[in-house]
């Protein structure tokens, strides 16, 4: 069976609620009306009982029957039966009275041949146990007809109100769910070529405004990721095209004519350099792919960051000496992490800083131990990076400006992306700060509890 739509469910729910409320209200009104009629009948019979007792005060008097007839004539739907203490019938005001009447004292109800009676049994003389019994019968057929008509009206009202509420509820639900259909229409039209579609948040009801905002944000993230992926693919093709073209051209030129063995050896060495760079590029790409899928699992080993930084500074010291750049380190902290991964991250930052530090500049490593984590910053002097370029520094194959593109296959623009992946794998964050004359990369690593 097909599942009911949300509009149908809401319409049925509205109809059911209306029917229940109408039925409950109708039953209460019916019970209240019936109780009101019983109260009125009780008051009427009690008042008539007093009059009949006064009329029958002296059964031996000659005018007692006249008074009785006069009292009964004032209420056309009232009948009376008088029985002796031995149960014998003394008097019936109407020949149509039923033979058997209720004998229980007080008020009761009787139905005889389609006629409904309210019956009141009471002694003629309340202070005498052997007093004759008075049975008053009040015809309440018209009351019962009224209650029956009211019950029919209640059922009709319940049915009509449920039907009307169902129709109005279906219309209201369909109108109210129109934004959801709009979301569905936008979602069905989303593809790789149309990720720029957005929902109009200002026309959404408050209950759906947040969902529309999140939906638009999701489309924005997808659009951004798709654009980055497309640019990433183009960058890969661009980076690989140059070494492949060099390999192909060099090999073709080498094979155009016979050459000495040393020329072939030189050509193979040159090709080997290009192949090694391509292999490193592929390894870096695989490393980033593992990071994207959460497959980088850092080891947890105690590290003294000052020792690790000093080892790397010692490694880069000859390069810094040739470039006339001063290296320094201050601060120390202990942290648990993966030694090889953190060394690679810090090495990438130092290599990047040395490449873009002018002669007689400086590169400094600062380690700050904080209560909740450790901050490691690598700062170098030199030309600053504009603020609009800072968010893209960690994109793959991205170079901040043409001056930082070296035009060789030695650096593909993946170092900062790999560094960011390593820091994130350790649960930390990395950011870049820059101004005129200096640039600083800050790594923030949490401490393990």
């Amino acid at each position: 069976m097909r599942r009911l739509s949300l509009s149908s469910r809401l319409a049925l729910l509205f109809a059911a609620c209306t029917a229940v409320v109408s039925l409950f209200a109708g039953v209460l009104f019916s019970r209240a009306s019936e109780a009101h009629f019983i109260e009125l009948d009780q008051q009427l019979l009690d008042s008539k009982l007093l009059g009949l007792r006064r009329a029958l005060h002296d059964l031996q008097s000659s005018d007692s029957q006249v008074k009785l007839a006069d009292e009964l004539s004032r209420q056309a739907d009232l009948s009376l039966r008088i029985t002796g203490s031995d149960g014998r019938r003394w008097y019936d005001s109407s020949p149509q009275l039923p033979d058997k009447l209720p004998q229980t004292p007080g008020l009761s109800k009787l139905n005889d041949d389609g006629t409904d009676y309210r019956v009141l049994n009471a002694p003629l003389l309340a202070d005498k146990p052997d007093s004759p019994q008075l049975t008053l019968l009040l015809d309440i057929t018209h009351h019962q007809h009224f209650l029956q008509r009211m019950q029919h009206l209640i059922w009709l009202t319940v049915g009509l109100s449920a039907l009307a509420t169902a129709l109005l509820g279906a219309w209201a639900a369909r109108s109210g769910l129109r934004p959801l259909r709009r979301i569905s229409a936008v979602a069905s039209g989303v593809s790789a070529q149309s990720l720029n579609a957005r929902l109009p948040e200002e026309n959404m009801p408050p209950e759906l405004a947040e969902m529309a905002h999140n939906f638009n944000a999701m489309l924005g993230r997808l659009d951004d990721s798709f654009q980055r992926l497309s640019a990433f693919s183009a960058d890969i093709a661009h980076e690989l095209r140059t070494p492949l073209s060099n390999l192909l051209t060099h090999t073709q030129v080498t094979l155009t004519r016979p050459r000495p063995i040393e020329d072939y050896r030189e050509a193979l060495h040159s090709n080997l350099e290009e192949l090694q760079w391509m292999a490193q590029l592929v390894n870096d790409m695989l490393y980033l792919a593992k990071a994207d899928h959460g497959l980088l699992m850092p080891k947890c080993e105690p590290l003294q960051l000052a020792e690790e930084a000093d080892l790397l500074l010692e490694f880069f010291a000859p390069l810094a000496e040739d470039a006339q750049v001063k290296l320094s380190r201050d601060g120390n902290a202990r942290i648990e992490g993966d030694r090889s991964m953190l060394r690679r991250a810090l090495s990438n930052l130092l290599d990047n800083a040395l490449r873009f530090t002018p002669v007689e500049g400086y590169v400094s490593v600062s380690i700050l131990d904080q209560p909740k984590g450790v901050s490691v910053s690598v700062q170098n002097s030199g030309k600053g990076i504009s603020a609009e370029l800072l968010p893209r520094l960690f994109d793959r194959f991205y170079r901040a400006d043409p001056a930082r593109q070296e035009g060789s296959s030695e650096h593909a623009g993946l170092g900062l992306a790999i560094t960011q992946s390593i820091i994130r794998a350790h649960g930390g964050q990395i950011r870049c700060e820059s101004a005129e004359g200096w640039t600083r990369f800050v790594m923030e690593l949490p401490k393990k509890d």
Side-chain angles (χ1 to χ4, degrees):
M1 293 180 62
R2 291 182 57 189
R3 290 179 295 178
L4 289 175
S5 66
L6 189 57
S7 299
S8 300
R9 294 181 184 182
L10 289 175
L12 291 177
L13 179 61
F14 292 154
C17 292
T18 303
V20 170
V21 172
S22 300
L23 182 60
F24 183 71
V27 169
L28 286 181
F29 183 73
S30 178
R31 294 289 178 85
S33 300
E34 186 175 2
H36 178 66
F37 284 134
I38 293 175
E39 184 179 358
L40 292 178
D41 294 341
Q42 178 78 53
Q43 293 176 358
L44 177 62
L45 290 173
D46 287 342
S47 64
K48 291 299 179 183
L49 178 61
L50 293 176
L52 291 173
R53 281 176 173 172
R54 284 194 300 267
L56 297 174
H57 183 268
D58 187 4
L59 292 177
Q60 304 299 325
S61 63
S62 58
D63 61 346
S64 61
Q65 292 186 0
V66 177
K67 293 179 179 180
L68 177 61
D70 181 62
E71 188 70 29
L72 292 174
S73 64
R74 298 177 185 177
Q75 189 75 31
D77 52 358
L78 182 66
S79 302
L80 173 65
R81 171 174 291 178
I82 303 175
T83 57
S85 57
D86 55 359
R88 288 188 306 163
R89 188 183 308 173
W90 289 6
Y91 173 79
D92 275 347
S93 63
S94 174
Q96 286 82 22
L97 290 180
D99 293 334
K100 294 183 179 181
L101 297 179
Q103 300 299 318
T104 56
L107 202 65
S108 60
K109 185 179 177 182
L110 172 67
N111 181 274
D112 180 66
D113 291 337
T115 302
D116 294 307
Y117 296 97
R118 193 81 66 195
V119 181
L120 176 63
N121 285 306
L124 176 60
L125 302 173
D127 54 347
K128 293 185 177 181
D130 58 347
S131 169
Q133 294 294 315
L134 300 181
T135 303
L136 283 74
L137 294 89
L138 180 65
D139 189 350
I140 59 170
T141 304
H142 58 290
H143 291 175
Q144 298 302 112
H145 289 170
F146 172 79
L147 292 175
Q148 290 174 1
R149 288 195 302 270
M150 188 175 65
Q151 290 175 356
H152 295 160
L153 182 61
I154 289 173
W155 285 111
L156 180 62
T157 302
V158 169
L160 292 178
S161 60
L163 178 61
T165 305
L167 296 177
L168 292 175
W171 174 80
R174 184 171 180 82
S175 300
L177 294 177
R178 188 177 294 115
L180 288 179
R181 292 195 296 274
R182 191 179 308 162
I183 293 176
S184 178
V186 172
S188 63
V190 170
S191 64
Q193 292 76 31
S194 61
L195 287 173
N196 56 349
R198 296 294 184 272
L199 289 172
E201 299 180 25
E202 63 277 2
N203 296 328
M204 291 288 177
E207 294 81 3
L208 297 179
E210 184 177 359
M211 184 177 69
H213 176 74
N214 294 333
F215 185 80
N216 289 337
M218 178 193 69
L219 290 178
R221 292 192 298 271
L222 288 176
D223 189 20
D224 182 67
S225 299
F226 186 78
Q227 295 296 334
R228 289 175 181 267
L229 182 61
S230 299
F232 184 50
S233 301
D235 290 336
I236 292 177
H238 176 75
E239 294 293 335
L240 291 178
R241 181 178 62 180
T242 300
L244 286 174
S245 178
N246 292 341
L247 285 172
L248 183 61
T249 302
H250 197 188
T251 303
Q252 288 175 341
V253 170
T254 303
L255 295 177
T256 54
R257 61 183 177 83
R259 299 177 184 275
I261 189 66
E262 292 299 326
D263 291 346
Y264 288 115
R265 187 185 300 275
E266 183 179 352
L268 288 176
H269 277 295
S270 177
N271 290 349
L272 179 61
E273 292 180 1
E274 296 290 346
L275 290 172
Q276 286 176 338
W277 179 85
M278 294 173 61
Q280 182 61 40
L281 177 63
V282 172
N283 289 334
D284 290 343
M285 292 304 304
L286 289 175
Y287 192 89
L288 289 172
K290 291 176 63 178
D292 289 342
H293 290 82
L295 300 178
L296 289 184
M297 305 300 293
K299 300 177 183 177
C300 287
E301 50 186 323
L303 301 175
Q304 293 292 337
L305 292 180
E307 296 179 3
E308 303 300 327
D310 290 342
L311 289 175
L312 290 175
L313 291 177
E314 183 180 353
F315 175 79
F316 283 103
L319 181 62
E321 184 178 353
D322 292 341
Q324 301 180 25
V325 174
K326 180 183 177 181
L327 300 179
S328 63
R329 188 270 307 167
D330 65 89
N332 187 20
R334 181 181 181 277
I335 196 173
E336 291 187 0
D338 191 295
R339 187 186 306 274
S340 61
M341 292 174 67
L342 291 177
R343 279 185 179 180
R344 183 174 184 179
L346 187 56
S347 175
N348 287 342
L349 295 181
L350 288 173
D351 178 67
N352 188 69
L354 284 172
R355 283 190 291 118
F356 303 115
T357 302
V359 176
E360 308 239 341
Y362 70 90
V363 175
S364 64
V365 178
S366 177
I367 303 172
L368 180 62
D369 193 357
Q370 298 173 333
K372 294 185 178 181
V374 174
S375 175
V376 181
S377 62
V378 177
Q379 180 172 323
N380 68 284
S381 59
K383 182 180 178 181
I385 304 174
S386 59
E388 61 270 14
L389 299 179
L390 291 178
R392 297 198 59 193
L393 287 180
F394 299 97
D395 291 351
R396 300 166 191 182
F397 298 113
Y398 181 75
R399 299 174 177 89
D401 54 65
R404 294 194 173 220
Q405 299 184 26
E406 299 190 354
S408 69
S409 61
E410 183 180 357
H411 299 282
L414 293 178
L416 291 180
I418 291 175
T419 300
Q420 184 184 56
S421 299
I422 292 174
I423 300 304
R424 287 182 174 177
H426 282 78
Q429 296 291 331
I430 184 172
R431 68 179 187 276
C432 179
E433 304 168 348
S434 185
E436 187 59 37
W438 61 270
T439 299
R440 180 191 304 125
F441 287 87
V442 181
M443 298 183 293
E444 296 179 344
L445 298 168
K447 290 183 177 179
K448 302 293 183 180
D449 293 332

